[in-house]
Amino acid sequence: MNKERKAWLQNQNITAVLFFVLFIYVFFHTIPSASTPSHTVSVPSSSNPSRVKIYLYPLPRKFTNGVVERYWRARGIFDVANLKYPSHQHSAEWHLLLDLTRDERDRVGSPVMRVSNPEEADLFYVPFFSSLSWVASKIRSLNGSVRSTKPWDAEAQEELVAWLEEKEHWRRSQGRDHVVMCQNPNALWRVKDRIKNAVWVVSDSRRVRPHHLSLAKDVVVPYSHRVSTYHGGIGVEKRKTLLFFVGNRYRPGVGKVRELLFQTLENEEDVIIKYGAPSRNNQLLASQGMHSSKFCLHPAGSTPASCRLFDAIHSLCIPVIVSDNIELPFEDVIDYRKIAIFVQSTYAVKQGFLVMMLRNVTTERILEYQRELKLVRRYFDYKDRNGPVNEIWRQVLQKLPLIKLMINRDKRLAMMHVIEPDYSCICSNKTGVTMATV
């Protein structure tokens, strides 16, 4: 067994233990009443003084609106004075900042309260548009590939960390009580080692190295949906297509299963599976196809997850997830087995297996899926005031006991001047300790 594999196993074991401890704490502090619906989340009201206090760092403009301007200029638009954050699947960073800059009277139901004094804060939010910064430094070609333009993103990352390391509150906690947006798996690629203690807000945890990220300390959030929301009712009469997919056929890594799925499904009756690079026309085609299909295929791409899953949810098109390592947002309140069908890739690529399985799903069962999809889709609509933004904050707040534990532990070790193996995968990894295997 190589060292990298041993380190990965060690991290998994430690993460499991920490998860168990955190689960016990959360369970006995947040047990809902027996009458609480399964999809109802209880959050503090705006008048509740126990709301967790969060301090919004006043980052220099170049890390926020300056990134938006660079994005548009890189695409040949130079009159950027009135342009806003572009519609993009990684736009959670925009919605979280927008939420914190609203008047408190417009933030009813939020579990966090913004404070102007950092000494009062429980958490610190770093509003760098890290995902858009990475996108802004790239130009997408017609075949879907991307190339670098200027080193904006790398420079911005270095400047951000230098700015943070000058702040007393970052140094005091080694960044552990700071929340950093890293939704695009390529975001912050240059400085991840220097910010690994912070709470990361991500969408594709499987694309981040295990020693950087852990579900014990980080939060998985949904992509923004790209297709229009389906406003019709539940039913199958208008859904003539059995299974629908439009997207890239060839993807690296875990996405290689797509080519096998194309070969298996492209000649099946009642199945639409087409190649389509990102474009407005293909986005319209995807909307029409999802709204008129019973099931929507969600295979892994260059990452295990994508906005396609959330497009399907908003279309009331039952997701068929062929992505073995996917991590999903808000799983403590959403039972995805009620809204999606999961198929292991080894079975999904067998000739006839997937189609036969879906044709055997009864109409009544399809309606049950659709009812559940309609119930939960607010969790994936960033424009909904009771949607994912409040849920993301709630997920972040669940990390507080662990954050405080690690901060106090760091202080104790620093005070004692003791050098000992650090078994907290969440995430210091200063020693590279190797555990014995049996």
Side-chain angles (χ1 to χ4, degrees):
M1 186 179 296
N2 58 39
K3 292 183 178 179
E4 184 177 350
R5 177 64 176 170
K6 289 180 180 178
W8 182 86
L9 288 173
Q10 174 190 341
N11 283 342
Q12 296 303 306
N13 291 334
I14 296 169
T15 300
V17 172
L18 290 169
F19 246 136
F20 178 76
V21 173
L22 187 60
F23 171 79
I24 294 298
Y25 179 93
V26 173
F27 182 81
F28 284 104
H29 285 74
T30 61
I31 299 176
S33 65
S35 61
T36 302
S38 60
H39 297 304
T40 299
V41 178
S42 177
V43 296
S45 69
S46 59
S47 60
N48 189 341
S50 66
R51 291 165 68 197
V52 173
K53 298 174 182 179
I54 191 164
Y55 178 74
L56 175 64
Y57 267 126
L59 288 183
R61 189 176 185 278
K62 62 185 174 183
F63 296 116
T64 53
N65 288 338
V67 177
V68 177
E69 292 173 359
R70 287 198 299 270
Y71 172 88
W72 291 115
R73 288 192 178 111
R75 281 145 186 79
I77 301 174
F78 297 97
D79 184 12
V80 297
N82 298 315
L83 292 177
K84 298 181 180 179
Y85 190 103
S87 175
H88 200 270
Q89 66 175 342
H90 301 115
S91 62
E93 58 193 13
W94 163 249
H95 292 287
L96 291 187
L97 177 58
L98 185 66
D99 176 65
L100 287 178
T101 52
R102 284 195 183 103
D103 189 289
E104 278 295 312
R105 292 171 294 184
D106 294 331
R107 302 181 64 249
V108 176
S110 176
V112 298
M113 176 175 62
R114 181 183 172 186
V115 295
S116 57
N117 183 356
E119 294 299 325
E120 299 176 1
D122 300 298
L123 292 167
F124 298 81
Y125 182 65
V126 182
F128 175 42
F129 291 160
S130 61
S131 294
L132 187 64
S133 180
W134 183 84
V135 174
S137 67
K138 311 292 177 183
I139 294 295
R140 184 176 294 276
S141 63
L142 293 177
N143 65 7
S145 63
V146 295
R147 60 180 177 85
S148 297
T149 54
K150 295 182 179 180
W152 294 327
D153 184 41
E155 292 172 359
Q157 293 176 47
E158 293 285 357
E159 292 176 15
L160 173 73
V161 175
W163 190 89
L164 286 171
E165 289 174 343
E166 291 180 354
K167 303 304 173 186
E168 174 189 354
H169 297 90
W170 176 273
R171 297 196 305 268
R172 187 171 64 187
S173 69
Q174 299 183 51
R176 293 193 187 278
D177 52 3
H178 287 57
V179 181
V180 177
M181 287 299 308
C182 191
Q183 192 177 15
N184 187 310
N186 298 302
L188 297 169
W189 57 272
R190 190 180 182 93
V191 296
K192 282 178 176 173
D193 277 330
R194 296 164 66 184
I195 63 169
K196 61 186 177 184
N197 287 338
V199 177
W200 290 7
V201 179
V202 303
S203 283
D204 270 302
S205 61
R206 292 289 181 172
R207 272 284 298 273
V208 184
R209 294 177 182 176
H211 68 281
H212 283 156
L213 180 141
S214 165
L215 292 181
K217 78 170 183 71
D218 301 310
V219 175
V220 177
V221 303
Y223 288 110
S224 297
H225 68 96
R226 305 290 290 149
V227 306
S228 59
T229 299
Y230 178 73
H231 295 293
I234 64 172
V236 298
E237 294 81 8
K238 297 181 180 180
R239 296 182 180 269
K240 304 301 183 182
T241 302
L242 177 70
L243 180 64
F244 176 83
F245 173 86
V246 60
N248 285 315
R249 178 168 185 156
Y250 304 102
R251 304 301 289 170
V254 294
K256 291 179 180 178
V257 71
R258 285 195 185 187
E259 169 59 16
L260 298 176
L261 287 169
F262 265 84
Q263 295 174 14
T264 301
L265 296 170
E266 58 188 348
N267 294 319
E268 289 284 357
E269 185 180 356
D270 298 334
V271 172
I272 296 176
I273 181 166
K274 293 182 177 180
Y275 167 79
S279 69
R280 289 193 176 185
N281 287 337
N282 283 330
Q283 187 173 321
L284 178 61
L285 174 63
S287 285
Q288 295 170 344
M290 288 185 170
H291 293 179
S292 59
S293 300
K294 300 179 182 70
F295 300 95
C296 287
L297 185 63
H298 178 77
S302 56
T303 61
S306 74
C307 63
R308 186 175 289 103
L309 169 61
F310 309 106
D311 290 341
I313 291 172
H314 279 275
S315 302
L316 300 187
C317 184
I318 302 163
V320 179
I321 300 176
V322 185
S323 182
D324 299 340
N325 295 318
I326 194 170
E327 295 290 354
L328 298 165
F330 316 147
E331 282 203 78
D332 60 332
V333 293
I334 297 174
D335 184 351
Y336 281 85
R337 296 171 302 173
K338 294 181 178 180
I339 65 171
I341 295 174
F342 294 82
V343 186
Q344 290 185 4
S345 57
T346 52
Y347 291 101
V349 298
K350 291 183 177 179
Q351 190 67 44
F353 177 87
L354 199 56
V355 171
M356 182 179 296
M357 183 190 70
L358 296 179
R359 285 178 179 153
N360 285 331
V361 180
T362 65
T363 298
E364 182 54 39
R365 186 72 183 98
I366 291 173
L367 298 180
E368 290 176 6
Y369 277 118
Q370 291 178 348
R371 291 188 192 100
E372 292 291 331
L373 286 166
K374 204 163 188 177
L375 280 174
V376 304
R377 65 180 175 182
R378 69 174 177 85
Y379 287 101
F380 311 108
D381 184 359
Y382 280 95
K383 295 181 180 179
D384 191 316
R385 287 295 180 88
N386 193 28
V389 170
N390 279 355
E391 189 60 23
I392 290 169
W393 291 133
R394 190 184 70 82
Q395 296 281 331
V396 170
L397 301 189
Q398 289 182 352
K399 313 299 180 181
L400 266 179
L402 193 58
I403 290 169
K404 292 179 179 179
L405 181 154
M406 296 307 299
I407 290 174
N408 289 339
R409 180 176 178 274
D410 288 342
K411 291 177 180 177
R412 172 178 62 81
L413 294 180
M415 179 184 65
M416 295 175 62
H417 300 287
V418 172
I419 299 175
E420 65 176 27
D422 186 349
Y423 294 106
S424 65
C425 66
I426 55 168
C427 289
S428 55
N429 288 304
K430 298 174 182 176
T431 63
V433 176
T434 301
M435 297 178 66
T437 57
V438 178

